[in-house]
Structure formats: structure tokens, C-alpha cells
């Protein structure tokens, strides 16, 4: 299949695509991407669909977390490890606190492409193309840096490859052994109440593990952990050449990540992103913002999951904490009445972004948590399963979101604000959220 002339995709408009200044270079990048080895395997994607089917059926919970925008400079062992640790620690808190299995998914190894509300950015009278993610251009405010460069598609692939390699080594090679739950906390602030709370959980897990091992058992599940990679399928010059036909089934899979989602800005029913998602076999997601209509969810479910396969389609809702209780119920209700099968996941980040008086884009912990609470309340009333959480986080010691148990405020943002795009929860705020969500989940499973 020649990726430049392949006719498997509908010839329809694609929103949010980079304007490459050099189309020959773009073709060269596409041809190279079409030949590289896959980042993930079709069988792994099918396994994730099965895991998500359990979530859709109410038997487990999915946690998706990672950077808003991964960057090439932060593609270091320390940064990847810190993000992975944070997701693993959150998953432990949820699993232990609520006694539910947690499917772990990183917003990692492919999150190099960003949709933007404005195509350009103006500073001091100078207007340049907006930053669209390291896979397209550079964050630095300079004409050369901001000009989209198709060779960056290849850089994004190679960076994703090295991230995934490290993640696979960590999760399969002993680091994610349950007996290591204490060590994940080592570099963490033990003087924080959240850090101490985690230590207590880790001690209890140790006792339970000692008991199991005293009975003469050493289950394989304790030594390795399943971890999947997800990102937004945004730039189709990256995604389309990274589709491969699975030799077992003859069906197409996106091999750029196990799970890909379509963003709120690109989810037009007749647009190229939904066409793309409808034709790949991976488990897929669609972000739904507060403007989503009942007709939209019904049409998306029919188009993306016509066979009603549990785990195939996840709706990631990001309504904002003031709106979630009002706009989410009619959508869930319509899906239920139509007998469509979807997994509902809450993104409490993207509907709760605000700007401080000093010009920082931030999020307030209580508002983030309030959206999760609203999400749980709505599902409780409708008798459906609040299936998961999708958050932007980092393991680094930054301050980008305010609030939380240590009372971070606007003044703390100065000097500790590092994100290339949206504000992320730091490790302490992420763990605090996990403890709070575990309580909600526990109540839910007990009711
Ligand atoms: C994102 O997840 O980074 C994002 C841009 O989200 P949304 O499509 O929901 O705005
Ligand atoms: Co974001």
C-alpha cells in the first residue's frame, strides 16, 4: 500500500492539520513512517479492548494519565520514570482503596501533537504560528522554531519509541513489582500528608503480600504490570502512515499507540478524524465538551462502534465542574435508551482551565475534583458505571495547578511553571486526587 495514494480513507476535510511549508519533505516523512517498525502490536491493542470491556461492564476502572504535551527535552529517563511512577502510585491507591482492578494507560509515547484554539499567537506585535506540539514545531517564540517541519514527525516517532521501550522495561522488568510500592515513594516528599498516607497504604500492601508469600504463593501478577500507551490522533500525516494491516486478521490497526482518541475540536461526524477512528481496530476514545448534543453521541456511537463491542469506544467527557451535572445526564440517557455500548470516562482537566490575573493558565484542585464528583453523582443517579479518569499530570515537582492539600496558590506558580501546553497536576495533587476518587469508587461499589 502506497501511503501517498492509499484510498482507504475518506477524502473529507481534516481540522487542525499543520500547514507544512515544504510538501516534498512531508511526503518523504510519510514514506519513512510507512516503513518503520510498529510501536505497538495488534494483539496488545486487542488485549486493551478486552480490559476496557471489563470497565464498560462495571467490573474495573481505567486510569489514563500523563502530560498534556510531551516534549523532546523531557524525553529523559528521569521524567518518564516520574510520570510512570505517578500513574502506578495512583493506580495502587485506587486498587487498594476501592478494591477494584485498575487498567493503567499513559498519555505517553505519542502525545506530541496539540490542537489549538488559535492558529497564530501574537506577542509584542509579532504574530507567529501557534505551537502545535513538538511533533510539528518548537515552543520557542521565533519564526524558524514555529514553522512546521515534517521531519519532526519522524522525531516524534523515535521519541515515542524510546519512551515506550523504557516503559516496557520498567513495567515488565521488576520495577513495577508490587513489592516495590515503597520505593516508588522514595523520592517523594515524606513530610507531605499525601506522601504519608501513601506510605500507610504501602505498608498495608506489604503485610498482605507477606501473608500471601507465607502461604507459599508468588503470583506472576505481582511482578509485572500491564501498561498501555495512548495519545490524541490529531496529525493525520503521522497517524495514517503508522497504520499496519494485522497479519492474523487482515484488519488495519494504528500502531502509533494502543489507544488513540479524537479531540473535542476534531470530532466532526463527517470529518477525517472520525473516519480514521472508524477504520482502525484499536480501542478508541472521543472527547466530549459541553457543546455536545444528544444527536452527536448517538451518531458517533453508531459510526464508531456499530457492532456494539464493549471496550471499543470510550467517551471522555470534559464538561467543566459547573456544567457536568446538567449536560452529562441527557447524553448518558440517550446512549442507554438506544442500547449503544460505550465506556464513560471523566477528564476533569480541560473544562476547568482559567487564566490568573498574572497571565498563567491554571486549574484549581477543588474544581477539578468537583467535576469528578459530579461525574460520579450523575452515574449514580442513572445507574451507570463511572468507568475512568483521564488526567494531565507530571511526576516533576512543578506548580501549574493551584489548591490541593498543601494549599498552593497563584504566587507559587512563579518559577515552577514548566508545561509546554496545559497546566498539569503535580505528583502530590495527583495522589491526593487518587485518594479522593478511591473514596468515591468505594462508596459506589458498596451501594
Ligand atoms: C487534550 O486532551 O490535551 C485536549 C486538547 O483535550 P480536548 O480535545 O478535550 O480539548
Ligand atoms: Co491538555
Amino acid at each position: 500500500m502506497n501511503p501517498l495514494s492509499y484510498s482507504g480513507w475518506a477524502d473529507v476535510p481534516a481540522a487542525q492539520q499543520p500547514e507544512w511549508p515544504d510538501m516534498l519533505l512531508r511526503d518523504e516523512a510519510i514514506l519513512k513512517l510507512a516503513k518503520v517498525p510498529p510501536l505497538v502490536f495488534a494483539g496488545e491493542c486487542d488485549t486493551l479492548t478486552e480490559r476496557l470491556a471489563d470497565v464498560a461492564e462495571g467490573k474495573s476502572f481505567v486510569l489514563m494519565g500523563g502530560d498534556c504535551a510531551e516534549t523532546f527535552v523531557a524525553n529523559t529517563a528521569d521524567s518518564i520514570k516520574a510520570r510512570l511512577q505517578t500513574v502506578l502510585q495512583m493506580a495502587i491507591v485506587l486498587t487498594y482503596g476501592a478494591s477494584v482492578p485498575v487498567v493503567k494507560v499513559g498519555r505517553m509515547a505519542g502525545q506530541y501533537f496539540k490542537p489549538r484554539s488559535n492558529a497564530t499567537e501574537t506577542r509584542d506585535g509579532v504574530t507567529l504560528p501557534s505551537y502545535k506540539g513538538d511533533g510539528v514545531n518548537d515552543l520557542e517564540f521565533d519564526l524558524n522554531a514555529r514553522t512546521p517541519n515534517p521531519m519532526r514527525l519522524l522525531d516524534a516517532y523515535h521519541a515515542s519509541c524510546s519512551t515506550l521501550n523504557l516503559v516496557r522495561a520498567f513495567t515488565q522488568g521488576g520495577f513495577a513489582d508490587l513489592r516495590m510500592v515503597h520505593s516508588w515513594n522514595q523520592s517523594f516528599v515524606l513530610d507531605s500528608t499525601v506522601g504519608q498516607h501513601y506510605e500507610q497504604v504501602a505498608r498495608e500492601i506489604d503485610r498482605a503480600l507477606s501473608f500471601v508469600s507465607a502461604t507459599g504463593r508468588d503470583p506472576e501478577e505481582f511482578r509485572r504490570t500491564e501498561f498501555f500507551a495512548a495519545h490524541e490522533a490529531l496529525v493525520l500525516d503521522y497517524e495514517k502512515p503508522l497504520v499496519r494491516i494485522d497479519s492474523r486478521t487482515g484488519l488495519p490497526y494504528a500502531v502509533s499507540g494502543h489507544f488513540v482518541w479524537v479531540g473535542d475540536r476534531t470530532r466532526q461526524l463527517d470529518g477525517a478524524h472520525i473516519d480514521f477512528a472508524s477504520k482502525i481496530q484499536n480501542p478508541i476514545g472521543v472527547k466530549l465538551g459541553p457543546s455536545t448534543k444528544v444527536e452527536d453521541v448517538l451518531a458517533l456511537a453508531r459510526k464508531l462502534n456499530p457492532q456494539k463491542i464493549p471496550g471499543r469506544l470510550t467517551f471522555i467527557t470534559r464538561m467543566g465542574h459547573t456544567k457536568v451535572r446538567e449536560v452529562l445526564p441527557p447524553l448518558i440517557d440517550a446512549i442507554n435508551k438506544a442500547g449503544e455500548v460505550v465506556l464513560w470516562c471523566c477528564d476533569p482537566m480541560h473544562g476547568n482551565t482559567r487564566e490568573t490575573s498574572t497571565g498563567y493558565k491554571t486549574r484549581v484542585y477543588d474544581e477539578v475534583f468537583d467535576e469528578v464528583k459530579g461525574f460520579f453523582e450523575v452515574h449514580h443517579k442513572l445507574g451507570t458505571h463511572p468507568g475512568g479518569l483521564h488526567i494531565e499530570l507530571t511526576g516533576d515537582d512543578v506548580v501549574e495547578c493551584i489548591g490541593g492539600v498543601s494549599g498552593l496558590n497563584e504566587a507559587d506558580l512563579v518559577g515552577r511553571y514548566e508545561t509546554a501546553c496545559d497546566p498539569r497536576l503535580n505528583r502530590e495533587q495527583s495522589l491526593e486526587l487518587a485518594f479522593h476518587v478511591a473514596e468515591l469508587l468505594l462508596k459506589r461499589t458498596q451501594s
Side-chain angles (χ1 to χ4, degrees):
M1 142 175 132
N2 177 351
L4 296 176
S5 60
Y6 176 62
S7 59
W9 313 111
D11 186 16
V12 289
Q16 295 277 347
Q17 300 308 289
E19 288 180 21
W20 307 117
D22 183 339
M23 290 305 269
L24 284 178
L25 213 54
R26 170 241 184 215
D27 289 355
E28 189 183 321
I30 289 182
L31 288 170
K32 282 190 175 146
L33 282 177
K35 292 203 187 106
V36 294
L39 287 167
V40 301
F41 299 111
E44 296 173 330
C45 300
D46 292 346
T47 302
L48 179 57
T49 303
E50 282 168 30
R51 300 291 179 265
L52 294 177
D54 284 345
V55 180
E57 285 161 7
K59 295 185 218 149
S60 48
F61 191 75
V62 57
L63 172 66
M64 303 187 178
D67 264 322
C68 175
E70 289 182 284
T71 61
F72 297 154
V73 284
N75 189 34
T76 63
D78 284 348
S79 169
I80 296 164
K81 185 176 171 191
R83 269 174 279 150
L84 180 67
Q85 268 177 339
T86 307
V87 177
L88 292 179
Q89 283 189 285
M90 288 182 77
I92 281 289
V93 167
L94 288 163
T95 311
Y96 191 75
S99 301
V100 287
V102 174
V103 181
K104 295 170 275 294
V105 182
R107 263 181 81 110
M108 280 170 113
Q111 189 51 23
Y112 287 105
F113 306 95
K114 299 307 302 172
R116 302 314 299 253
S117 304
N118 302 313
T120 58
E121 182 182 343
T122 303
R123 286 191 206 170
D124 303 324
V126 180
T127 300
L128 294 177
S130 292
Y131 172 63
K132 305 254 315 165
D134 273 15
V136 173
N137 58 3
D138 194 282
L139 183 59
E140 198 188 323
F141 196 73
D142 159 287
L143 180 59
N144 192 30
R146 286 289 174 96
T147 303
N149 176 356
M151 285 300 128
R152 284 178 165 266
L153 297 172
L154 294 165
D155 297 338
Y157 165 80
H158 289 294
S160 301
C161 210
S162 58
T163 303
L164 208 51
N165 185 48
L166 195 65
V167 167
R168 287 188 195 277
F170 275 139
T171 54
Q172 302 301 310
F175 174 75
D177 190 313
L178 269 181
R179 279 156 291 207
M180 302 280 281
V181 284
H182 280 291
S183 73
W184 303 340
N185 212 35
Q186 244 164 34
S187 56
F188 195 41
V189 263
L190 271 181
D191 55 359
S192 95
T193 44
V194 179
Q196 284 166 4
H197 197 167
Y198 179 85
E199 271 306 299
Q200 192 188 326
V201 169
R203 269 197 299 275
E204 288 168 23
I205 291 173
D206 268 354
R207 285 192 56 215
L209 289 178
S210 305
F211 171 75
V212 173
S213 111
T215 65
R217 300 216 184 100
D218 183 16
E220 181 64 18
E221 291 79 6
F222 289 179
R223 274 184 263 146
R224 301 167 195 276
T225 199
E226 259 184 352
F227 195 91
F228 300 95
H231 66 274
E232 176 173 352
L234 179 74
V235 171
L236 298 174
D237 286 344
Y238 181 75
E239 301 300 338
K240 288 183 177 176
L242 282 174
V243 168
R244 300 283 181 275
I245 304 297
D246 175 26
S247 55
R248 302 166 310 164
T249 56
L251 296 169
Y253 283 76
V255 295
S256 59
H258 299 108
F259 177 99
V260 292
W261 73 87
V262 177
D264 191 42
R265 295 171 185 77
T266 49
R267 62 174 169 78
Q268 301 79 20
L269 191 63
D270 298 322
H273 294 85
I274 293 297
D275 173 63
F276 174 79
S278 73
K279 289 174 180 161
I280 55 171
Q281 295 296 306
N282 307 54
I284 50 172
V286 182
K287 292 282 209 90
L288 302 177
S291 65
T292 311
K293 298 189 185 60
V294 160
E295 308 87 87
D296 300 339
V297 285
L298 290 175
L300 285 167
R302 276 185 220 120
K303 180 152 184 176
L304 297 174
N305 193 12
Q307 291 168 303
K308 304 191 201 302
I309 299 167
R312 154 77 177 161
L313 177 61
T314 299
F315 280 149
I316 307 168
T317 64
R318 28 84 92 227
M319 302 303 185
H321 76 114
T322 57
K323 299 192 182 129
V324 60
R325 293 167 179 83
E326 172 201 332
V327 294
L328 187 55
L331 304 181
I332 300 178
D333 214 28
I335 287 289
N336 289 348
K337 288 201 174 112
E340 302 295 346
V341 177
V342 306
L343 187 170
W344 295 97
C345 178
C346 174
D347 164 2
M349 315 299 293
H350 289 88
N352 298 305
T353 313
R354 55 158 81 192
E355 199 167 307
T356 65
S357 52
T358 42
Y360 286 95
K361 219 192 210 191
T362 192
R363 290 163 175 153
V364 179
Y365 179 86
D366 283 346
E367 297 180 356
V368 168
F369 182 49
D370 189 44
E371 176 152 358
V372 185
K373 268 196 292 194
F375 177 80
F376 272 75
E377 282 163 29
V378 168
H379 281 284
H380 185 66
K381 274 196 199 129
L382 295 175
T384 43
H385 181 50
L389 191 61
H390 180 114
I391 61 169
E392 290 184 340
L393 58 79
T394 170
D396 303 333
D397 185 21
V398 300
V399 181
E400 293 166 0
C401 295
I402 55 183
V405 69
S406 51
L408 296 170
N409 57 42
E410 278 188 37
D412 296 312
L413 298 169
V414 184
R416 290 166 74 190
Y417 192 97
E418 293 175 14
T419 184
C421 197
D422 288 339
R424 304 158 296 178
L425 296 179
N426 64 23
R427 182 124 155 234
E428 185 173 50
Q429 290 166 325
S430 303
L431 274 187
E432 183 176 356
L433 187 65
F435 278 112
H436 283 146
V437 175
E439 278 172 34
L440 295 178
L441 255 180
L442 186 65
K443 263 196 233 148
R444 168 104 199 124
T445 46
Q446 286 174 341
S447 66

